[in-house]
Amino acid sequence: MSALLKDSYNRPIRDLRVSLTDRCNFRCFYCLPHGEPPIAPKEQMLSYEEIEYICEIFVELGIEKIRLTGGEPMMRRDIETNIGKLAKLKLKGLLDLALTTNGYFLPDRAMGLKQAGLDRITISLDSLKRNVFKQMTGVDVLDRVLQGIEAAKNAGLQPIKINAVIVRGHNEDEVADFAAFAREHDVKMRFIEFMPLDSGHDWSRADVYSGREIREAINERFPLVPIDVARGSETSSRYRFADGGPGEIGIIAPVSEPFCGACSRIRLTADGQIRTCLFSTVEHSLRDVVRSGATRGEIIDFIEAVVLKKEPRHYINDPGFVTPSRTMSFIGG
Ligand code: SAM
């Protein structure tokens, strides 16, 4: 059994999200509406060797799940090789290697990801209507993403999760249609509340279509039954269809139903900063420590000390809430 990474509130840290790049080929209005800021110099970014070394240390410290994200992780060159190396950490205690993607590159590359050793995939899909998809993501590629979902299924990257951020005035009328999609395609549909992590700083509480509203909208057409498993550190509350239909529903409601008490997550940005919460206002440069020539023991001491600084909870609902300076595309959602 590996050493256990624990924060100062006794929460075990088991889940590492690694951002492979800040770059993205979509312009989702709730994330990167004004396009990418200037590309950071390459030397500021962690190399694949550094990512592999750091991940190996994290696995030694008890990390069981690694999720690769971004930006759009598939925009980084040759992620299949990186996935192949990270998959070897399964011999050292890693249980689950996953990827979150906008799906654009999957029609051609899903099979290669599976062959490289990826276990699971989460694909973002904010609308089933071509015009709304284009309006929300800034790109007119709904058909291609749908093909990507099919390709991921055919490649055996199951169970496939589909993420939809529901924003009032944009796609809330599609919630039950997404549930129908989950049934038709036998996928896990996950609905996410809009969080104040948009680079345009246009987030408003009034735009948040709440977890409760999502549940009600689905229940009207497809009655749901809570899945009777301990939620543990999962972000979503999970439901199955009462009629036994295929697929599953997950509702992620960090704004209206925070779940920080069971958080097991920690994040590594593409430029090597540890973030202990999506809403952290401080970062800790693991890159600088690794590049300073620190020994493995010193790197472990640094990680353990940073984990002890993990925030007890996010403060979205407090009057003094400060939006993090980096947005979702930099933090790694
Ligand atoms: N490019 C990949 C993708 O599209 O899935 C991975 C990175 S993206 C930042 C990860 C997830 O964060 C996506 O499902 C996206 O919809 C979600 N996301 C981004 N900004 C968000 C926000 N302000 N509120 C809620 N979810 C957000």
Side-chain angles (χ1 to χ4, degrees):
M1 178 74 185
S2 340
L4 190 59
L5 210 46
K6 268 196 180 165
D7 73 7
S8 56
Y9 304 91
N10 224 20
R11 291 173 297 191
I13 305 302
R14 294 297 205 190
D15 180 348
L16 174 67
R17 306 218 167 169
V18 179
S19 172
L20 293 184
T21 178
D22 297 336
R23 298 182 54 214
C24 190
N25 53 338
F26 283 24
R27 293 289 171 269
C28 302
F29 80 89
Y30 53 76
C31 186
L32 262 185
H34 307 306
E36 293 164 313
I39 293 174
K42 200 173 167 213
E43 58 274 15
Q44 287 184 11
M45 299 293 147
L46 292 181
S47 66
Y48 280 157
E49 288 71 25
E50 288 170 326
I51 291 174
E52 287 148 21
Y53 179 52
I54 289 170
C55 285
E56 190 216 320
I57 292 178
F58 267 109
V59 169
E60 184 186 326
L61 292 174
I63 289 289
E64 294 174 340
K65 283 165 73 171
I66 295 180
R67 174 173 294 281
L68 303 175
T69 178
E72 173 45 48
M74 296 196 72
M75 284 191 74
R76 185 150 174 183
R77 201 166 29 85
D78 199 18
I79 64 163
E80 290 78 358
T81 303
N82 187 234
I83 288 171
K85 296 262 175 57
L86 294 177
K88 296 216 171 79
L89 295 177
K90 300 254 187 84
L91 300 170
K92 301 192 173 183
L94 181 69
L95 300 180
D96 191 22
L97 182 59
L99 173 78
T100 302
T101 173
N102 60 33
Y104 181 83
F105 298 100
L106 288 178
D108 311 324
R109 288 170 59 193
M111 193 61 86
L113 293 174
K114 177 71 185 175
Q115 285 164 353
L118 189 71
D119 293 314
R120 289 187 306 118
I121 200 157
T122 298
I123 303 166
S124 299
L125 177 68
D126 291 329
S127 177
L128 297 166
K129 298 178 190 164
R130 182 176 167 187
N131 60 329
V132 180
F133 184 97
K134 182 172 174 219
Q135 183 269 327
M136 289 186 75
T137 63
V139 284
D140 189 9
V141 295
L142 172 61
D143 280 349
R144 187 164 164 135
V145 173
L146 294 174
Q147 286 164 22
I149 292 171
E150 255 338 279
K153 273 180 86 171
N154 293 337
L157 285 165
Q158 256 115 344
I160 292 176
K161 287 186 189 164
I162 307 290
N163 274 356
V165 181
I166 306 299
V167 187
R168 197 181 302 283
H170 293 269
N171 58 353
E172 79 271 30
D173 59 333
E174 292 189 64
V175 166
D177 294 341
F178 272 125
F181 182 89
R183 293 163 64 90
E184 190 187 334
H185 296 272
D186 191 10
V187 293
K188 297 186 174 195
M189 190 68 224
R190 308 207 313 173
F191 298 92
I192 308 176
E193 282 180 349
F194 180 25
M195 292 182 272
L197 288 169
D198 53 318
S199 70
H201 298 293
D202 290 327
W203 182 87
S204 139
R205 187 167 298 276
D207 297 337
V208 178
Y209 194 70
S210 71
R212 183 180 54 78
E213 291 173 292
I214 293 167
R215 243 183 324 268
E216 285 171 3
I218 301 172
N219 256 318
E220 266 182 30
R221 203 185 313 167
F222 303 110
L224 294 175
V225 179
I227 293 182
D228 194 17
V229 288
R231 178 161 169 182
S233 60
E234 275 211 45
T235 48
S236 64
S237 41
R238 294 167 52 191
Y239 302 85
R240 62 178 177 78
F241 294 105
D243 67 0
E248 189 186 300
I249 299 297
I251 298 178
I252 304 180
V255 181
S256 68
E257 301 164 26
F259 39 82
C260 306
C263 183
S264 64
R265 280 167 290 286
I266 191 162
R267 292 179 153 80
L268 184 66
T269 65
D271 59 357
Q273 311 299 306
I274 299 182
R275 292 184 65 97
T276 47
C277 171
L278 262 184
F279 297 95
S280 292
T281 48
V282 286
E283 297 180 338
H284 310 271
S285 185
L286 185 56
R287 179 197 62 200
D288 290 351
V289 174
V290 169
R291 291 186 184 171
S292 72
T295 63
R296 195 180 176 93
E298 286 164 346
I299 295 172
I300 290 174
D301 288 347
F302 179 80
I303 293 173
E304 286 177 342
V306 167
V307 163
L308 287 176
K309 295 181 188 154
K310 185 169 162 69
E311 298 77 348
R313 62 182 179 89
H314 69 62
Y315 299 100
I316 305 177
N317 298 314
D318 293 16
F321 172 66
V322 181
T323 318
S325 56
R326 295 225 258 185
T327 59
M328 198 66 143
S329 63
F330 289 98
I331 296 168

